[in-house]
Amino acid sequence: MELFGMPGHLIRRMQQHSAQVFKSKCQAAGFDLTSVQFAALDALFHNPGIDQARLAEIIAYDRATIGGVVERLERKGLVRRDVSKTDRRARVLAMTPEGADLYARMRPVVEALQADILEQLSEDERQTFLSLSRKALGGANL
Amino acid sequence: MELFGMPGHLIRRMQQHSAQVFKSKCQAAGFDLTSVQFAALDALFHNPGIDQARLAEIIAYDRATIGGVVERLERKGLVRRDVSKTDRRARVLAMTPEGADLYARMRPVVEALQADILEQLSEDERQTFLSLSRKALGGANL
DNA sequence: GTCATAAAATATGCATACATATCAAATGAC
DNA sequence: GTCATTTGATATGTATGCATATTTTATGAC
């Protein structure tokens, strides 16, 4: 079997390509967030007041990894972490005004760049690719 | 746009899933190599005598990253690094007998697990997914 | 209420992943 | 042959990504 016949290799290349597009398009627009950091803001926007464990679940990250991501967002002043009133172990997350502003400005750019990731595909093919991906991921987290 | 409608997110999830399948199947078979390390052995098998820069090109890695990968393979006794006779900057890579043996034993396992990555898809869908991936990657490196 | 268990963070360690800088060596222009 | 440029490798710094261990706190069984 050839390297490019292997799903594992192709998928890694796709991820690499996707990350590259995200980075270059965002930097071109003057934003300095990684895709992971943006995903965290997005999840926080749609689920205000969640803790880190919930955030990790939503965007499918390891809890250990989320810690660092949130810490960097906090350091950039985009997110606040407060001890939960109902569970002193948990840290409730909230976007700061700066975070909300940055999210609002980045969102159209990020949405636009999604098409660029699959630029080589027709609209039909793009939809096929996305639904096959969702299907391949199965009930996993979808 | 919903998170699961975003190619970027789905692709990351696919990569996550793919890595997980690789790891669990290989560990179940008693192997302790990462997918990256296996890819390096595979490239070395098909392209004996290449240097690190060539290896990085073939499997599409950063040159800086390859250094660490090869170092770990060397530490495991699977690969040798010799100064090139024609270019004293370059380190010519060669699989050791142990490396060749491990590669031969892992190869069928890795080939078999490729189908597991896209387990939820029919054979037709799998082929479609792979060709759309190749097309999406364009002339990039294919 | 006590205690075993589970859950939320954090810490640690390893392995990618990439940008940038640096060093050494090769190569091409002249 | 000399020198600017390029190239191979390494070093450094940042950011994932995950496994495992630890600490603190909550919860359920009794």
Side-chain angles (χ1 to χ4, degrees):
Chain A
M1 193 189 282
E2 188 47 58
L3 198 58
F4 276 95
M6 295 202 186
H9 179 73
L10 279 171
I11 290 169
R12 186 180 63 78
R13 293 298 313 279
M14 288 295 286
Q15 160 64 15
Q16 206 174 30
H17 171 66
S18 167
Q20 185 55 47
V21 170
F22 185 98
K23 187 175 202 175
S24 62
K25 294 286 177 181
C26 283
Q27 282 184 352
F31 299 122
D32 189 33
L33 278 197
T34 67
S35 57
V36 176
Q37 291 166 8
F38 178 80
L41 281 190
D42 184 70
L44 223 50
F45 178 79
H46 290 292
N47 308 273
I50 54 174
D51 60 23
Q52 292 186 187
R54 228 60 52 212
L55 175 59
E57 252 174 50
I58 293 169
I59 56 179
Y61 273 87
D62 195 88
R63 280 229 304 269
T65 302
I66 277 296
V69 174
V70 172
E71 193 194 314
R72 285 182 283 278
L73 287 172
E74 195 182 23
R75 212 185 301 145
K76 291 180 182 184
L78 304 173
V79 154
R80 272 185 315 126
R81 262 196 294 200
D82 305 305
V83 173
S84 166
K85 286 184 178 64
T86 56
D87 185 340
R88 283 209 312 245
R89 294 167 305 179
R91 313 288 214 95
V92 173
L93 303 174
M95 267 202 270
T96 62
E98 292 76 22
D101 178 63
L102 180 62
Y103 174 72
R105 285 183 295 122
M106 277 189 77
R107 198 186 155 97
V109 174
V110 172
E111 290 206 6
L113 107 222
Q114 297 302 313
D116 296 333
I117 294 173
L118 300 178
E119 196 186 10
Q120 307 290 315
L121 303 186
S122 70
E123 187 51 37
D124 267 8
E125 291 173 327
R126 225 171 286 179
Q127 290 310 320
T128 303
F129 179 83
L130 296 181
S131 46
L132 288 178
S133 296
R134 276 188 287 261
K135 187 171 180 185
L137 288 171
N141 205 339
L142 189 40
Chain B
M1 193 190 282
E2 189 48 58
L3 198 59
F4 276 96
M6 294 199 186
H9 179 74
L10 280 170
I11 290 170
R12 187 181 62 79
R13 293 297 315 278
M14 288 294 287
Q15 160 65 15
Q16 207 173 28
H17 170 68
S18 167
Q20 186 54 48
V21 170
F22 186 96
K23 188 174 200 175
S24 61
K25 294 286 178 183
C26 282
Q27 282 183 351
F31 299 122
D32 189 34
L33 278 197
T34 67
S35 58
V36 176
Q37 290 166 10
F38 179 81
L41 281 191
D42 185 70
L44 223 51
F45 178 79
H46 291 292
N47 308 274
I50 55 175
D51 59 26
Q52 292 186 189
R54 230 58 53 209
L55 175 60
E57 251 174 51
I58 292 169
I59 56 180
Y61 272 88
D62 195 90
R63 279 228 306 268
T65 301
I66 276 296
V69 174
V70 171
E71 194 194 313
R72 285 182 282 279
L73 287 172
E74 194 182 24
R75 213 186 298 144
K76 290 180 182 185
L78 304 173
V79 154
R80 273 186 313 127
R81 261 199 292 201
D82 305 305
V83 173
S84 165
K85 286 184 177 65
T86 55
D87 185 339
R88 283 206 314 244
R89 294 168 307 179
R91 312 288 214 97
V92 173
L93 304 174
M95 269 202 267
T96 62
E98 292 76 22
D101 178 62
L102 179 63
Y103 174 72
R105 285 184 296 120
M106 278 190 76
R107 197 185 156 98
V109 174
V110 172
E111 291 207 5
L113 106 221
Q114 296 303 313
D116 297 332
I117 294 173
L118 301 178
E119 196 184 10
Q120 308 289 317
L121 303 185
S122 71
E123 186 51 36
D124 267 8
E125 291 172 328
R126 224 169 289 178
Q127 290 310 320
T128 303
F129 179 84
L130 296 182
S131 54
L132 288 178
S133 296
R134 275 186 288 259
K135 188 170 179 185
L137 288 172
N141 205 338
L142 189 36

